[in-house]
Amino acid sequence: MEATFEVLSEEELDRVTSTYAPLAEAVRELIDATIRTQADDELVAQARIAIRAATASLLSQGTRPAGVSYRVDDRPVPLGNAVIGQCNPIAPPVVVNHEGGGRCWSEFVLGAAYEGPPGLVHGGVSALVLDHMLGEAASVGMTKPLFTGTITIKYLRGTPLGPLRSEAWVERAEGVKAYARGNISDSAGVTVEAEGVFVMPAWARESE
């Protein structure tokens, strides 16, 4: 499916973000509460009715198509991204900081919604975060069209739920390919490592 791009001004982006990001944060809190609540049957039933009513109300005014993305001054703004999307309730969200020279880092919290083994982050979630972080490094903050060709994940030990840090960097670039590495760590050190090859698609090479 071809992505749809909605072009926004900086002012319009501020309006969209200030409207929908707090809604996404409220849903993140709801997801966490849904997983961890010990409420009784009556309260759960009341909550279910209220949540379905709120969902119906939100849908009643129309929806955007799946795959929509925003641009500001030809810069992509992925508000719905599964890792960094401020308006996506399943995103932590991860905030990526770029240092230049093909390096970036982020500090974030993964709570109950990202659990695999008890008390630990699901391995697929670690892979998701690292895929994005390596992609951010390779694409210079998503300013160049480079997409994941291959990625290899090495799990050193369990990654605990809670505050974490991820780093990524480009080791080298060769033609239309960039080779990146990265990791996730907790307070005791690195828990997961990754390396990947990121490739410029054919349609982008024509404009180089």
Side-chain angles (χ1 to χ4, degrees), residues 94-134:
V94 170
V95 177
V96 183
N97 302 279
H98 288 268
E99 295 183 338
R103 298 190 70 91
C104 60
W105 61 274
S106 180
E107 293 180 346
F108 51 93
V109 176
L110 295 181
Y114 307 99
E115 187 175 55
L120 300 176
V121 176
H122 193 292
V125 173
S126 296
L128 175 69
V129 170
L130 283 167
D131 181 34
H132 186 88
M133 290 294 295
L134 268 63

Side-chain angles (χ1 to χ4, degrees), residues 150-174:
T150 61
I151 188 167
T152 302
I153 308 294
K154 184 177 181 181
Y155 298 92
L156 305 181
R157 59 185 173 87
T159 301
L161 295 173
L164 299 166
R165 179 181 174 91
S166 181
E167 300 180 2
W169 59 93
V170 175
E171 288 201 314
R172 69 185 191 279
E174 295 178 359

Side-chain angles (χ1 to χ4, degrees), residues 45-69:
Q46 292 173 356
R48 184 173 66 248
I49 292 169
I51 291 165
R52 286 178 172 166
T55 300
S57 178
L58 289 171
L59 294 176
S60 68
Q61 296 190 16
T63 61
R64 293 182 175 84
V68 70
S69 183

